[in-house]
Amino acid sequence: MVFAPPDRIVTDRLVIRRESADDAAVVADAIDRNRTRLLPWMSWATGEAAEVSTQVARIAGASEQWDAGDMFDYSIFDLVDGSFMGKIGLHRRIGPHGIELGYWLDAEAEGRGVMTEATTALMKVALELDEIDRVEIHCDEANLRSQAVPRRVGFALDRIENRPIAAASETGRHMVWVYQPDCR
């Protein structure tokens, strides 16, 4: 039985690994550098989130959620130079047999296929977990960069739901992309 994904996943160009408290400073710095571009889509991207102490606390909470099997939070690093490239994670919050995949990318890593590669790897790992037969990616209809990833990886747009607006650039039209191998 596979209850949790591996702590570390290596692809052709990336190391995708479970976060530790040692990552707090690099994540806080990336949030600070990317706040302007993240905040329109992610209301958590605040000055407080860019503080190392906030990231230490968040990582500790994420570790507890990992151990409970509720969320599996990773950081993405360049395989060659070890630079931080973004974050990706799996969340058990969409009901039975499904898991949600979420992500954000450092601006310096954009346009190189990093998130496509990371999403493909994590999607495969997610489908190896017990009782998981579908992976979902959720994003606002106006977030063109976020919706490009599931398109490239082979997800199908399942539905658009009306949801309360949570960030400045959201429309409230929430796209739900689904990858379900048995349905292809």
Side-chain angles (χ1 to χ4, degrees), residues 121-148:
L122 204 54
M123 175 187 69
K124 290 175 183 174
V125 165
L127 290 168
E128 293 174 359
L129 298 174
D130 286 342
E131 300 184 11
I132 298 298
D133 62 17
R134 78 178 190 288
V135 180
E136 295 184 5
I137 294 176
H138 297 199
C139 66
D140 191 84
E141 187 176 52
N143 191 335
L144 301 179
R145 283 197 172 272
S146 279
Q147 66 175 274

Side-chain angles (χ1 to χ4, degrees), residues 1 4 39 50 83 87 102 107 113 124 127 144 154 163 166 174:
M1 296 187 76
L39 190 57
S83 61
K87 293 201 29 64
K124 290 175 183 174
L127 290 168
L144 301 179
R163 294 201 182 166
H174 200 79

Side-chain angles (χ1 to χ4, degrees), residues 6-84:
D7 289 356
R8 180 181 167 97
I9 303 160
V10 178
T11 69
D12 291 342
R13 301 179 298 150
L14 309 173
V15 174
I16 305 164
R17 66 170 173 75
R18 183 177 178 176
E19 289 184 300
S20 72
D22 293 339
D23 297 319
V26 71
V27 174
D29 180 58
I31 291 170
D32 190 47
R33 284 193 326 272
N34 289 275
R35 241 183 341 183
T36 302
R37 50 183 290 283
L38 291 175
L39 190 57
W41 306 110
M42 301 175 179
S43 60
W44 57 260
T46 63
E48 183 179 353
E51 294 175 8
V52 174
S53 60
T54 299
Q55 290 307 309
V56 168
R58 183 197 56 77
I59 291 169
S63 182
E64 290 174 10
Q65 289 181 306
W66 184 295
D67 293 341
D70 296 330
M71 178 181 73
F72 307 104
D73 208 12
Y74 292 91
S75 285
I76 304 167
F77 297 90
D78 184 279
L79 180 64
V80 175
D81 69 15
S83 61
F84 176 85

Side-chain angles (χ1 to χ4, degrees), residues 89-105:
L90 298 169
H91 308 269
R92 291 188 190 262
R93 59 184 175 203
I94 59 170
H97 308 292
I99 198 159
E100 183 181 345
L101 191 153
Y103 45 78
W104 64 268
L105 194 60

